[in-house]
Amino acid sequence: MHPCISSIAKWHSRLRNFSSANCKVTSLILHESSNGSNLSSSHMDRTMSNMYATSCEKSPADTHKDNPVSDMLFDSFGRQHTYLRISLSERCNLRCQYCMPAEGVELTPTPQLLSPNEIVRLANLFVSSGVSKIRLTGGEPTIRKDIEEICLQLSSLSGLKTLAMTTNGITLANKLPRLKECGLSLLNISLDTLVPAKFEFMSRRKGHDRVMKAIDAAIELGYNPVKVNCVVMRGFNDDEIYDFVELTREKPINIRFIEFMPFDGNVWKVKKLVPYSEMMDIVVKQFTGLERIKDDPTETAKNFRIDGHRGTVSFITSMTEHFCAGCNRLRLLADGNFKVCLFGPSEVSLRDPLRSGADDNELREIIGAAVKRKKASHAGMFDIAKTPNRPMIHIGG
């Protein structure tokens, strides 16, 4: 018997011991759109008026029955949270400047991190309550020796449609075939430069060739699109926007340009920020036939296709055009803290009550109360920069 199939059988047996959700079915359709830009983007009004019905992100066919969305996952503004990001580790094999201070970070002692069984139990609680997508983050999730088993267990949860991962790609190429067998269905690979010397400067480590190899391996294995995350910083890689877009011409890659965001220790300055409007101006001037893709109300990115290109281009505009109105994301950190907003300092521990013997209903009450406290939107970028928050490597990318 294939080891994946054997493991699935074992974990299905264990998961029967988890109590199932006793949920009230609630339905809601979000019709809100993102707020306007703080920086000029008038060229969008002139050239991007056509909207199209398809999105660049296509989830694989789902064989699980949808779970009704519990009231636990609705905040006081009616937003329905069906997407959970789980950080599997605070450790990383790179030291990217926008993610980690030069002196490093203090790591949580291993006994205080969630165990694999605790991760799966909490994930099952969320999925049985209506979460349909889980993304694994870090740190770097692939440095965990049990990453394949964790993927297998999570992908087996009834009601989960999508298991995704964000990775730096350094160790991915050799692991990816097995990870795909174990249920990993979507993939984001972080790459901020196409120049090896700049990669080493930014990440304080070598490995550019391994990341490129990982992207090619993902394409060969049929991931479509392969999402490539690129944090754009003025004076570092803003001169590579054209080159990144060129990657989409022949390959099924979704390049995702991300505005530089402030976190503890990453020395954020507004002069380093390249706003969406400026990035878009660069693309519009050098590529013809840009068409806006109609996005889901919960989409964080503004997505575009380019005539003649296999891939697509996206912009994540957290600083200049936030998308809080449609936010459906929650975060479970490696130490078991639960966070309802990436930029908000508020956290609540799920690890402590879990280890004190709390049952599922008690955990749901804690989760639901935290979700209900979620604010309508995060603060402006200058206020975020002054608000204490964890380094990105602690929160999870």
Side-chain angles (χ1 to χ4, degrees):
M1 179 180 292
H2 193 284
C4 273
I5 297 174
S6 175
S7 297
I8 288 173
K10 289 190 295 183
W11 277 98
H12 270 308
S13 176
R14 293 180 198 175
L15 289 172
R16 291 193 192 100
N17 295 326
F18 293 142
S19 59
S20 59
N22 182 16
C23 304
K24 178 181 179 181
V25 179
T26 310
S27 61
L28 180 70
I29 300 176
L30 295 176
H31 290 294
E32 299 179 69
S33 60
S34 298
N35 289 351
S37 173
N38 294 328
L39 298 172
S40 173
S41 58
S42 60
H43 59 278
M44 289 291 296
D45 296 330
R46 296 193 305 269
T47 62
M48 304 301 157
S49 60
N50 292 331
M51 304 294 287
Y52 291 79
T54 57
S55 170
C56 67
E57 177 174 332
K58 297 179 182 179
S59 297
D62 177 40
T63 57
H64 295 301
K65 181 180 178 182
D66 288 352
N67 291 321
V69 180
S70 165
D71 179 68
M72 176 188 91
L73 298 178
F74 283 85
D75 66 17
S76 59
F77 301 96
R79 291 173 297 197
Q80 174 181 313
H81 297 78
T82 56
Y83 181 2
L84 177 67
R85 302 174 71 100
I86 302 177
S87 176
L88 295 182
S89 176
E90 296 176 350
R91 297 181 180 275
C92 187
N93 43 11
L94 297 180
R95 297 290 183 270
C96 297
Q97 295 185 31
Y98 57 80
C99 184
M100 185 186 296
E103 65 275 13
V105 297
E106 183 177 351
L107 298 174
T108 303
T110 299
Q112 296 177 28
L113 299 176
L114 292 178
S115 70
N117 286 342
E118 289 171 332
I119 292 170
V120 175
R121 181 184 170 188
L122 290 172
N124 183 68
L125 182 64
F126 279 96
V127 173
S128 65
S129 300
V131 162
S132 59
K133 180 178 181 179
I134 288 177
R135 177 175 294 278
L136 304 178
T137 69
E140 173 50 39
T142 63
I143 67 174
R144 285 191 64 133
K145 294 180 180 179
D146 55 359
I147 182 62
E148 295 164 357
E149 186 68 17
I150 289 174
C151 284
L152 183 61
Q153 296 167 30
L154 294 177
S155 67
S156 302
L157 296 178
S158 179
L160 186 70
K161 294 181 178 180
T162 304
L163 180 62
M165 178 187 290
T166 297
T167 170
N168 61 31
I170 293 292
T171 65
L172 182 65
N174 293 334
K175 297 182 178 182
L176 192 53
R178 170 71 171 160
L179 289 171
K180 185 174 184 182
E181 289 177 358
C182 292
L184 185 66
S185 53
L186 286 178
L187 194 61
N188 287 53
I189 299 175
S190 298
L191 179 66
D192 302 310
T193 177
L194 298 174
V195 181
K198 289 167 70 173
F199 177 92
E200 186 173 346
F201 169 78
M202 172 54 65
S203 65
R204 306 184 181 106
R205 296 290 187 275
K206 296 181 183 294
H208 183 269
D209 58 330
R210 283 180 279 173
V211 181
M212 299 303 294
K213 181 180 178 181
I215 293 172
D216 289 337
I219 293 171
E220 291 174 7
L221 284 169
Y223 285 93
N224 187 1
V226 175
K227 297 186 176 184
V228 175
N229 293 349
C230 177
V231 177
V232 181
M233 290 161 283
R234 191 178 306 282
F236 172 68
N237 61 352
D238 53 326
D239 60 339
E240 295 186 62
I241 290 176
Y242 171 86
D243 297 326
F244 271 103
V245 176
E246 270 297 317
L247 293 179
T248 70
R249 187 180 297 276
E250 303 295 339
K251 296 180 179 181
I253 291 175
N254 170 227
I255 293 294
R256 301 168 73 78
F257 294 118
I258 303 172
E259 292 180 338
F260 183 39
M261 298 175 281
F263 294 97
D264 279 12
N266 73 351
V267 197
W268 184 88
K269 295 179 181 179
V270 69
K271 67 180 182 180
K272 294 182 181 179
L273 171 69
V274 182
Y276 158 57
S277 57
E278 185 176 334
M279 290 189 278
M280 176 58 74
D281 278 333
I282 293 171
V283 176
V284 167
K285 288 176 182 177
Q286 301 189 67
F287 294 92
T288 59
L290 239 66
E291 298 176 352
R292 180 71 185 268
I293 299 170
K294 185 175 182 180
D295 303 317
D296 186 273
T298 63
E299 177 63 75
T300 60
K302 294 173 174 63
N303 302 300
F304 297 84
R305 63 168 63 90
I306 302 176
D307 187 36
H309 286 225
R310 288 185 65 192
T312 51
V313 177
S314 302
F315 301 86
I316 298 177
T317 63
S318 305
M319 296 295 94
T320 62
E321 294 187 21
H322 71 70
F323 32 82
C324 301
C327 182
N328 69 338
R329 290 152 179 78
L330 303 170
R331 292 174 179 266
L332 179 62
L333 279 55
D335 64 1
N337 275 14
F338 178 56
K339 196 174 180 73
V340 297
C341 177
L342 173 62
F343 299 110
S346 297
E347 298 177 6
V348 60
S349 177
L350 298 183
R351 178 200 64 203
D352 292 347
L354 180 65
R355 293 183 179 179
S356 298
D359 62 24
D360 284 359
N361 287 331
E362 291 170 319
L363 292 170
R364 285 192 184 96
E365 289 181 7
I366 296 170
I367 294 167
V371 172
K372 293 295 187 294
R373 293 193 296 269
K374 185 170 181 174
K375 296 181 179 180
S377 65
H378 62 67
M381 58 184 170
F382 296 107
D383 289 329
I384 292 173
K386 295 183 292 186
T387 302
N389 199 356
R390 297 217 224 179
M392 190 63 177
I393 194 167
H394 277 173
I395 298 171

